[in-house]
Amino acid sequence: MQQGAIPFVDVWDRKPYGNFLLFAAIAALSHDPATFQLTAMAFVATTALILSMITSARFENVAGTAAGLLYILQLPLFGGDTVQTPIFYNALVAGAVLLLTRTAVHEDLARTARTTSASMLLLGLALTIKTSVIAEAIALGLFASWNWWRSARPSPISMAGQAGKWALIGAAPSLAIAAGYWIVGYWDIYWHAMVVSNLSKAYDFQTAADRAHLMMRLIAPLAFLAVAGWIKWRKLPEAKLLGIWTLSALVGLLMLRNFYSHYALPILMPLAILSGAILSNWIAAALASATALAIVFWLTPPTDFAQTRMAQYAFDRMAKSIRAHGGERGLFVYDGPVLLYDAIPSRPPTPLFFPPHLNHDIERDVSHLSTRREVKNVLASTPGTVVLATMPRQYPVNWETRRMVLRYVGENCRKVDEVLMPMRDRLDRIAVWGDCRE
């Protein structure tokens, strides 16, 4: 994007424009991964503080502290330590809910209108980062409208006008982006990425079911605390808001259907707030926090750097081999770390340069581009190096494109390196094919 690439046109994914813009802004500071981690840490701290404020408004400060800590300590269990986008938009959604909690307890109508408008704008900004926020945005918008009806007792026409105004404020960021694509002539591509591709994406039922089962097991302790905490929250003015938020976050999770672990990150926020209610003394709070910390150290030990060092070594070795064996004539990462394009550096040879878009069968022809044609065009350009896992890393496999790449490297290249690249729960053997014939 810093070099003029347009999301969806030159760099394709189904994530909204705000997601691209967010990471481009961070990359403008530095491409060092630490920059992304530090930015994510700031957003995590902000979110935890907001959750603490919501909880502390009704319970002891220790309850608020516990809610914030529970949120932070749950993140590594759901991929929240890997700069996933919910880390960023969670802060916007939490901020919107904080504003709405204030409208639930005061009767100053002018202040309620202003506060609700700000809340809808935050939700609108979150929606430009992740489309699944639509579930929470609609639910919280309906709550705001009901709250206005309850407080102001407006006429039906006045009510419709106020609700329409808030809906427009929430939709404004997305409408502005859509208008921009229409003006520059890329409306069809934008519509396909944001709507058609999301609706047409296929799912592997067994894989999704396995992920859902694991997610349920990991989230069960926090859900149990949240159910117990609801008993204390249910008679308070904020109860309806928190209940609606929790249910809408669950709907947003179910909408995605693939059940990747980081999809659970948004629902951790209301669960943490509800849990805080029963952690209103230091002993309970300390016990819950210590237990959560123990689980983190057990399942995702933060002090185990062996995997990090191994991954760094494998990555650097691949980059060195690519540079030495034809990388200057073009790099094609068909099934491997996409960050290699940045490390070489090498311009990605196709807008579908995120490897799963080329090698994962459920991504076949999901974009406005033909997957087969894109791989064919890349191979026709005779890249000097190709990165290819020896065994597919994404199932179900797009065997059509994989066979095309295997044929190319078999006929034109030689294997110049092979490394073991650790992922969180597995080791991938990845080959670098280089010195490919022009």
Side-chain angles (χ1 to χ4, degrees):
M1 288 177 67
Q2 293 167 4
Q3 298 168 0
I6 301 174
F8 316 123
V9 180
D10 304 303
V11 184
W12 193 89
D13 202 4
R14 59 174 57 82
K15 296 176 176 63
Y17 184 86
N19 198 319
F20 287 91
L21 189 62
L22 170 67
F23 281 86
I26 300 173
L29 302 175
S30 171
H31 284 211
D32 191 319
T35 306
F36 294 84
Q37 291 281 2
L38 289 170
T39 306
M41 185 176 69
F43 274 80
V44 168
T46 300
T47 305
L49 178 61
I50 294 171
L51 302 183
S52 177
M53 292 171 64
I54 295 173
T55 310
S56 297
R58 285 294 173 182
F59 300 97
E60 300 292 335
N61 287 337
V62 63
T65 302
L69 282 176
L70 281 178
Y71 172 72
I72 293 172
L73 292 173
Q74 293 293 304
L75 296 181
L77 304 181
F78 300 94
D81 55 343
T82 58
V83 198
Q84 295 289 352
T85 50
I87 290 299
F88 301 100
Y89 68 75
N90 273 2
L92 298 173
V93 175
V97 173
L98 175 62
L99 293 176
L100 288 178
T101 60
R102 294 175 177 174
T103 68
V105 295
H106 63 67
E107 300 296 334
D108 185 333
L109 296 182
R111 182 182 173 190
T112 294
R114 291 193 302 269
T115 303
T116 303
S117 295
S119 176
M120 294 303 106
L121 180 59
L122 289 176
L123 290 170
L125 292 172
L127 190 57
T128 68
I129 300 175
K130 186 68 172 180
T131 51
S132 61
V133 175
I134 189 68
E136 288 150 291
I138 290 175
L140 295 174
L142 290 174
F143 168 83
S145 298
W146 170 82
N147 187 54
W148 180 258
W149 176 269
R150 177 186 62 84
S151 303
R153 297 296 179 184
S155 67
I157 294 177
S158 176
M159 182 69 246
Q162 186 65 65
K165 173 186 173 182
W166 287 331
L168 184 60
I169 290 173
S174 294
L175 291 175
I177 293 168
Y181 275 88
W182 181 76
I183 290 170
V184 298
Y186 292 126
W187 166 255
D188 289 346
I189 293 177
Y190 176 78
W191 175 260
H192 194 284
M194 288 294 91
V195 179
V196 178
S197 69
N198 280 290
L199 295 177
S200 61
K201 182 179 178 181
Y203 298 87
D204 182 68
F205 176 80
Q206 187 57 54
T207 303
D210 291 342
R211 292 196 195 107
H213 181 249
L214 177 60
M215 183 185 293
M216 289 172 60
R217 291 169 57 190
L218 290 175
I219 210 168
L222 184 63
F224 175 79
L225 288 177
V227 170
W230 172 253
I231 297 173
K232 287 193 171 184
W233 274 108
R234 62 180 178 174
K235 293 183 180 180
L236 297 175
E238 300 89 349
K240 286 187 178 64
L241 172 60
L242 295 177
I244 289 171
W245 184 19
T246 305
L247 291 176
S248 63
L250 178 60
V251 171
L253 170 60
L254 296 175
M255 283 170 52
L256 297 171
R257 292 186 288 177
N258 260 330
F259 296 103
Y260 289 109
S261 60
H262 62 276
Y263 289 173
L265 293 174
I267 202 171
L268 297 182
M269 295 187 291
L271 293 182
I273 291 173
L274 294 174
S275 299
I278 62 167
L279 303 176
S280 296
N281 66 76
W282 285 107
I283 295 177
L287 182 61
S289 299
T291 302
L293 186 61
I295 293 173
V296 168
F297 269 82
W298 175 39
L299 295 178
T300 58
T303 56
D304 182 6
F305 297 108
Q307 187 181 70
T308 302
R309 287 191 290 267
M310 185 178 181
Q312 185 67 61
Y313 168 77
F315 185 87
D316 291 343
R317 183 169 142 180
M318 281 191 290
K320 183 178 179 180
S321 297
I322 291 166
R323 295 190 192 100
H325 295 281
E328 74 282 353
R329 290 197 299 105
L331 167 65
F332 180 31
V333 182
Y334 173 78
D335 192 0
V338 70
L339 195 60
L340 284 168
Y341 287 119
D342 187 64
I344 300 306
S346 177
R347 185 180 180 86
T350 169
L352 304 181
F353 69 83
F354 296 111
H357 292 153
L358 301 173
N359 62 50
H360 201 187
D361 203 45
I362 65 174
E363 297 286 353
R364 182 198 297 261
D365 296 337
V366 168
S367 78
H368 63 287
L369 301 169
S370 163
T371 307
R372 181 183 184 280
R373 189 180 302 117
E374 284 302 297
V375 172
K376 182 180 179 181
N377 291 342
V378 171
L379 298 178
S381 71
T382 62
T385 52
V386 177
V387 176
L388 174 67
T390 58
M391 294 296 293
R393 302 197 304 164
Q394 300 279 348
Y395 287 89
V397 180
N398 186 331
W399 287 109
E400 181 183 35
T401 58
R402 185 173 178 84
R403 290 190 187 101
M404 293 167 63
V405 176
L406 286 171
R407 187 181 308 118
Y408 176 83
V409 298
E411 295 175 354
N412 301 282
C413 316
R414 67 185 184 90
K415 187 187 292 186
V416 297
D417 206 350
E418 187 173 296
V419 302
L420 282 175
M421 172 64 76
M423 300 293 285
R424 173 164 290 184
D425 55 357
R426 69 175 194 265
L427 277 175
D428 292 328
R429 190 175 293 276
I430 302 176
V432 176
W433 295 81
D435 299 324
C436 303
R437 291 193 305 235
E438 296 188 55

